[in-house]
Amino acid sequence: MGISARELAAATPATRDRYVDLLRVASLAVVVLGHWLMAAVTVDGQVGNLLAVVPELQVVTWVFQVMPVFFFVGGFSHALAHRSRPQYAAFLRARLQRLLRPTMVFVGVWGAAALVLQLAGADGGLAGVALRLVTQPLWFIGIYLAMVAFTPPLLRLHERYGWGAFAGLVGAAVLVDVLRFAADVPFVEFLNFAFVWLAVHQLGFLRADGMIRRPALLAGAGLLGATALVALGPYPLSMVGMPGEKVSNMAPPTLALLCHGLWLVGAVELLKGPGARLVARAGVWRTVVAANGIAMTAFLWHLTAMLGVYGAMLGLGAELPAPATGSWWAQVPLRFLAAGLLTGLLVAAFRRFEAPVPAAPATGEGGPVAAAGITLALFGVLGLSLTGFAGLLDGHTATLIAVPVTAPAAVGLALAGWLLVERAGRDG
């Protein structure tokens, strides 16, 4: 039997930065609730975006697009983890076990469901939409894999240059956008999947070493920069992707999104004092510990739960008001409650795959195998986030940067990469 959240909370060292754990849980919770709210499902089973139905709401993404906070927290945690476990293969295994195991289970369950639905000819309507949508959040897993992979070299640059290493990533992101928008260089924009998110991640290194001393300046500069770029440049208002838009701040990330990340990081650092006092309370800390233990499982399955609720409503003939109407807003609390309960059931079924497993003996070897593994897993997970499981038997493809990829190929890459990371360094 595993250790309970109460026991883990009681055993927490006094030196642990509990505020970071609070930020991790809170940012994922905001993402989940945001996805549930933005889904505008119609009576014919199509899923739109509330922010497209009510464009005035796009400004709220400047507060609630909190993925930068999660990646910032990841940088902080990765710095500490790598310093305690400097061998590359051992570091990767330790960081990825609770990420890739539940992810591959999710992929396996949905892959099997997709085959059954398509063989039965039941992959139309909302079911077909679900097959396309449920894998979309995997882009986050892919980006996080890249952050783990690049932690050792970027941490060394941080230790040598400090804010200069961060400035170098920001400068690279600026250059990419200049080449993209001013020179129309093809495909260059995809480099900002690395530069933008790794710059935010680098801020976590700076926090780990106590180098973010003026969070108000960071927040102000980020907010001012994002405002100027959106007002004067080719950047849209929304900090999340919108259907049909020519330019997205998210895919690929833009300099505006990087400024948004600076604003959010500065803001959460300004709230560190009251946040730390809140999470110091025993009851709050137990809740945070329990939530951290299931956070990845809940994130993976929350869209499944949401679409399941809408599917049940359509199947039972329940009223499904037009999105953004008064009746639709009145129904939001009930839909949230139902989606939360279903997510809870899914977490209960799959949480064991997120549980920590004993670490394999580290030999100090296996770095090249681990690097190859995380590269394969990265491309596999990102590819699957684009293809989804719709058209699985029809050879449906999507384009990952400039390379066509199918869902079976993406699953194969992710599985092979995971197995390589698990094996790396074990046999000496």
Side-chain angles (χ1 to χ4, degrees), residues 149-192:
F150 282 107
T151 287
L154 289 179
L155 185 58
R156 286 193 293 271
L157 288 174
H158 157 75
E159 290 168 346
R160 182 170 182 178
Y161 298 109
W163 279 98
F166 168 76
L169 290 168
V170 173
V174 172
L175 178 60
V176 166
D177 270 17
V178 169
L179 293 175
R180 175 186 181 183
F181 294 115
D184 292 322
V185 176
F187 301 119
V188 71
E189 64 268 24
F190 293 103
L191 291 173
N192 266 350

Side-chain angles (χ1 to χ4, degrees), residues 18-36 38 61 63-75 77 137 139-140 144 147 197 200 240 260-261 264-265 268 271 288 291-292 295-296 298-300 302:
R18 300 183 181 195
Y19 182 56
V20 166
D21 295 283
L22 175 63
L23 289 178
R24 182 184 297 111
V25 168
S27 57
L28 279 184
V30 170
V31 170
V32 168
L33 294 176
H35 284 169
W36 287 351
M38 285 193 298
T61 64
V63 175
F64 294 111
Q65 164 48 297
V66 293
M67 273 303 181
V69 175
F70 190 91
F71 292 144
F72 164 64
V73 167
S77 300
W139 74 266
F140 153 79
Y144 204 76
M147 291 178 172
W197 289 126
V200 174
V240 302
H260 171 70
L264 282 185
V265 167
V268 297
L271 295 172
V288 170
N292 263 313
M296 191 50 56
F299 175 78
L300 287 167
H302 77 280

Side-chain angles (χ1 to χ4, degrees), residues 71 136 138-147 150 154 169 172-174 176-177 180 187-201 241 248-255 257-258 378-379 382-383 385-386 399-402:
F71 292 144
Q136 286 186 2
L138 293 181
W139 74 266
F140 153 79
I141 305 290
I143 298 299
Y144 204 76
L145 288 172
M147 291 178 172
F150 282 107
L154 289 179
L169 290 168
V174 172
V176 166
D177 270 17
R180 175 186 181 183
F187 301 119
V188 71
E189 64 268 24
F190 293 103
L191 291 173
N192 266 350
F193 274 114
F195 295 137
V196 167
W197 289 126
L198 288 175
V200 174
H201 187 250
S248 167
N249 280 321
M250 275 288 293
T254 64
L255 184 58
L257 184 66
L258 176 53
L378 165 64
F379 283 106
L382 286 179
S385 75
L386 295 172
T399 301
L400 179 59
I401 304 180

